[in-house]
Amino acid sequence: MVSLRYLVTAAVAVAAPLVSALPTRELLPSAKAITASKIVENIQALTAKSQALQKTANNITIQNGPLIIIGQGPFPKIIAGLQDIALNGTNAFLELNGTPHIGSKDEAASVADAFREFVRVHQAFLNILIGKASLFNSVGIIREPVANELRQVERVIDTFAFTLIDTIDPIQQKKQIQEDLSSLDSTLDAAINAYSG
């Protein structure tokens, strides 16, 4: 019978060279700090992407929704647009790594206001999607891919917003972003529920 001590010793002996081969924090590329105006620019890019999806969402009909099966109609564009928002949101979050705290109330206000505008525009898009969901109550091939992308967007935007909150020092702007995020999460949850199961 093999003892537990022998197994642990063998595991450590095998793992030690692997662990020592991992890069240390000093060897990883460091992120460059970005300015508040660049953060605003990144948020405005997300806003523009969401705004562009509103027209596509408004064009959803009972006739063109099922065209997703052959890769046509509005839903493939909506799914690709949501993926693009998630990708750009991830990049915006990664750019925040290494950014010093924003202590200026004016700079913090510009970031918080840009996030508020993103929330307003994205909620308008989501509300259109929610309104169209009932057309496809029993069509899982449409609903599930949309729900999956909405979940991904929610994770990315939550991570980005929490990082924004940590980056901004003035309490008033932190609170504004928290409130706006809470409102957006409620709308995202409603959209996810509308397109789930």
Side-chain angles (χ1 to χ4, degrees):
M1 177 173 229
V2 178
S3 72
L4 181 59
R5 174 185 281 187
Y6 175 79
L7 289 175
V8 170
T9 304
V12 169
V14 169
L18 298 173
V19 171
S20 65
L22 293 174
T24 63
R25 184 169 176 79
E26 292 78 31
L27 295 176
L28 293 174
S30 61
K32 294 182 181 181
I34 61 172
T35 63
S37 61
K38 176 62 176 162
I39 295 169
V40 168
E41 191 178 300
N42 288 343
I43 297 169
Q44 288 171 338
L46 293 173
T47 304
K49 290 177 184 305
S50 186
Q51 178 77 49
L53 288 175
Q54 288 181 19
K55 181 179 179 186
T56 306
N58 271 321
N59 290 330
I60 296 171
T61 65
I62 192 77
Q63 292 81 21
N64 66 17
L67 294 175
I68 191 174
I69 295 169
I70 58 172
Q72 295 181 359
F75 281 109
K77 293 174 187 169
I78 288 170
I79 291 167
L82 289 169
Q83 290 169 341
D84 193 35
I85 289 171
L87 176 64
N88 281 274
T90 299
N91 290 338
F93 157 72
L94 292 173
E95 284 188 4
L96 283 175
N97 186 24
T99 297
H101 284 260
I102 298 171
S104 160
K105 191 169 184 171
D106 289 340
E107 288 181 337
S110 67
V111 170
D113 290 345
F115 188 75
R116 175 163 282 171
E117 179 63 8
F118 166 73
V119 168
R120 185 191 68 75
V121 169
H122 202 60
Q123 283 179 316
F125 161 65
L126 293 171
N127 285 325
I128 295 166
L129 273 184
I130 292 166
K132 301 289 184 166
S134 63
L135 297 173
F136 309 103
N137 281 337
S138 61
V139 188
I141 197 163
I142 293 172
R143 296 163 61 92
E144 281 308 310
V146 173
N148 289 338
E149 293 308 324
L150 289 169
R151 286 183 196 98
Q152 181 62 26
V153 167
E154 183 175 38
R155 284 188 291 271
V156 168
I157 297 303
D158 283 353
T159 303
F160 178 66
F162 289 135
T163 306
L164 275 180
I165 292 164
D166 288 343
T167 303
I168 291 175
D169 286 338
I171 298 297
Q172 183 178 351
Q173 283 72 33
K174 282 181 180 279
K175 185 177 177 185
Q176 178 181 326
I177 293 172
Q178 288 170 333
E179 290 170 355
D180 291 340
L181 178 62
S182 177
S183 176
L184 179 58
D185 280 343
S186 294
T187 309
L188 271 163
D189 289 342
I192 290 166
N193 289 336
Y195 281 87
S196 294

